[in-house]
Amino acid sequence: MYADVIVDISFEKLDRIFQYGIPEHLKQQIKIGSQVEIPFGNGNRKIKGYIISFSETTQYPIEKIKELIGVVKNSTTIETRMIQLAWWLKETYGSTMNQALKTVVPVKKKIKGKEERYIKLKISKEAAEQQKKEWEKRNKAKAKLLAILIEEERVSYEVLTKEQHIAPATIRGVQEVGAIEIVSESIYRNPSVYQKEEVDYHFVLTSDQKRIADEFLTDYKNGVRKTYLLHGVTGSGKTEVYMEIIANVISMGKQAIVLIPEIALTYQTVHRFYKRFGNKVSILNSRMSQGERFDQFERAKKGEISIMIGPRSALFTPFSELGLIIIDEEHESSYKSENVPKYHARETAIELAKLTGSSVLLGSATPSIEAFYRAIQGEYKLFELKNRVNERAMPSVFVVDLREELKNGNKSMFSNQLKQLIWDRLNKKQQVLLFMNKRGYAGFVSCRSCGNPIRCPHCDVSLTAHNDGTLQCHYCGYQIPLPKSCPFCGSPYIAAFGTGTQKVEAAVKREFPTARVLRMDSDTTAGKDGHERILSVFSRREADILIGTQMIVKGHDFPFVTLVGVLAADMSLYANDYRASERTFQLLTQAAGRAGRGHLAGEVVIQTYSPQHYSIETAATQDYRKFYEKEILYRKLLGYPPVGDLLAILISSKDLEACEKMAELLKDTAEKYCVEYRILIIGPADATVSKIQDFYRKILYLKEGKSKSGNQLKKIKDILEVKTEQAQMEADVQVQFDFNPMNTY
Ligand code: ADP
Ligand code: ZN
Ligand code: ZN
């Protein structure tokens, strides 16, 4: 038998299997997924690797085969199905096996758990009583310690020293005579603070909710495993449906993973799960340390919890009895990884479900075109919730044409209608959300004389003006003070254009001086609990108006918000991106969905320069189907996903010439296969941002107009990966693949 090993070095040329002999003494210790030490290269350098399979035979001369050295101490073992999943990630999205393994096993090393020390008696209570009496005169502190321990069986070291003010020397003294002992226990770093919630508190489902949960569970009990899409309007009670299904699935001894976009992973959502499931639940988030994540994965592995909630990386929770994966807000672009392999959590969940015999439930008020297309095709089962819970009305939406406002002499950023409605809410002591499309779009600063924008010297983008008087690059963090005159022509007339959240805040304060205003964007939410802090101030109604970007439209439930204003709805419409309309529709619908979630009815004002655009029209009427019909037609015409498949190849280098040369080389290589497979090549061209941190960026797209699985594209990708490795370039060039990207480059 030989062990097939992937070496733990991120270097493409080593991304293949190396075979090793298995010494007798290791035979019992190793299995698939073990992390092992191996001698490597001519010098037999000791490095690490993972065993991904065992073989009976080898193609190498037997005398050249080296032997494994040993198992890495304190390493964790990768389960077989995780290795299969890694293989699939590598094949589908393009990466080395090592990168793929690192993705599915994010915490590789065991990290020592935090320990808590407890003190308890080592002698009987009677004996302790005796000793206490003896000490009472000469040594009050020792007597006091015994008195405490007679009362309470075990007390933490911390409590004794900090609260009872017993000196460590005293504890040591008592320990030395053998009256007490100190025990260490590892405790989990549980990030949640909601541990003591009452358990199993839940609503009686509405008949609509119940119908869906029942249908799912009937399938489930009959052994049917598949993918479901729950399309439910905002406030239709999707989360309650998830919880009902989870409760039943875990009662069958199964475990569930619930993915929620990081940005919506707030107290409110998590709290609902804790209320129902208590400490069967654990959460992950990106602010947690490696150690904290490791602890939560350990608890999952040991079966101490049954539900893991988290962003896309929670998918890799090592449950042994996984039975269900739920993806809430399935359309969110944050489900696509920005790191290689650039996997999509939805597709990966479906693959993982196949490997584990689980079902997948996707949910959204604005499903991705991909998911809805597959539901229409019958690949997923579609559930619909068309009404809000408790007959709460959907909000009324008004579309305001900003061009008309300007014609009528209104130059402010608030249309007359929005102004009136805001005053109305302020008078009624109700709350308002004002939504901006993008942070600091305000952005860019240009010269009014020569028209030149001020750009980052390292990236191909303009700098953004901030309130503190600086100009900043949002790609690399480059920062300079706002210049007093134009660096190109010397003119003193330079100014910021557009509207950012900071400017909106200033305008709101001017227009509505009595209002209490909060702003939420990446500047104000920095720090560990930035988000929570602002949201809780707002939910306690200590502010009237909350201004924000994308962040404020995600999953929050503020019952006193009865007005949502979208200040400039078009900003996301004209990105040069085939998903621009979809994203605009989703944002507007989700933003509108924040209004009128309590007992009070809601209104929404969408201000736009393009009121006739279908994504704005259909968002205003909240007509998902109509939007879908228009959008899928356009995708069919142009062969974009989900009808076709798209492979983006990003080539980047500090050396422009090498970058161009590699791009041409890949294009030439792809060409002959593309003709054969009828795949369209677009580019190479400059990426939208053609330089980031001094790296030039070229982009090449391969489009397979009508494919089912992207198989041809995958083949070409493999060929290009090999070509990339073999190419001799005079400078470092990086090549990244992105299969069905969420954004264009
Ligand atoms: P969605 O996830 O579809 O936006 P939620 O699950 O957040 O909807 O539900 C919207 C609101 O309705 C929440 O405040 C929730 O507590 C409430 N709700 C959901 N289902 C019920 C029910 N069956 N009975 C009473 N209230 C419910
Ligand atoms: Zn100028
Ligand atoms: Zn920059």
Side-chain angles (χ1 to χ4, degrees), residues 203-206 209 235-240 272 389 557 597:
F203 294 111
V204 177
L205 294 189
T206 64
Q209 288 170 322
S236 58
K238 294 185 286 297
T239 311
E240 294 298 323
R272 286 170 72 180
V389 173
D557 217 349
R597 291 174 71 92

Side-chain angles (χ1 to χ4, degrees), residues 456 458-459 461 473 475-478 693:
C456 174
H458 307 289
C459 309
V461 290
C473 171
Y475 280 86
C476 75
Y478 174 82
Q693 290 184 324

Side-chain angles (χ1 to χ4, degrees), residues 447-452 486-491 494:
C447 170
R448 290 190 171 181
S449 303
C450 73
N452 273 311
C486 170
F488 303 99
C489 73
S491 154
I494 46 177

Side-chain angles (χ1 to χ4, degrees), residues 105-220:
V105 191
V107 196
K108 210 176 46 172
K109 266 196 222 86
K110 264 190 191 155
I111 294 166
K112 206 164 181 287
K114 219 192 249 169
E115 299 220 312
E116 186 143 46
R117 282 184 293 172
Y118 289 98
I119 318 286
K120 58 183 208 183
L121 288 178
K122 211 177 164 184
I123 50 179
S124 70
K125 275 192 183 171
E126 294 73 45
E129 205 61 70
Q130 198 81 38
Q131 180 71 60
K132 188 185 87 172
K133 278 200 189 109
E134 221 169 278
W135 272 334
E136 240 148 25
K137 294 215 175 77
R138 332 178 251 120
N139 201 323
K140 288 226 157 60
K142 285 184 179 170
K144 179 180 168 189
L145 175 59
L146 286 183
I148 293 169
L149 293 171
I150 290 166
E151 276 295 303
E152 226 173 308
E153 202 167 319
R154 39 180 251 164
V155 182
S156 92
Y157 192 89
E158 288 263 288
V159 169
L160 288 176
T161 51
K162 299 237 166 82
E163 286 169 27
Q164 305 285 348
H165 304 290
I166 293 174
T170 309
I171 298 177
R172 232 176 298 127
V174 182
Q175 188 190 12
E176 271 158 19
V177 302
I180 59 169
E181 64 181 335
I182 302 179
V183 282
S184 288
E185 249 174 45
S186 70
I187 51 161
Y188 290 116
R189 284 156 289 208
N190 197 327
S192 82
V193 286
Y194 329 111
Q195 291 220 20
K196 289 180 190 119
E197 292 300 340
E198 67 273 41
V199 173
D200 205 31
Y201 167 80
H202 63 278
F203 294 111
V204 177
L205 294 189
T206 64
S207 58
D208 275 347
Q209 288 170 322
K210 192 166 173 346
R211 174 178 47 80
I212 293 170
D214 285 351
E215 204 172 317
F216 179 98
L217 290 166
T218 307
D219 272 1
Y220 200 88

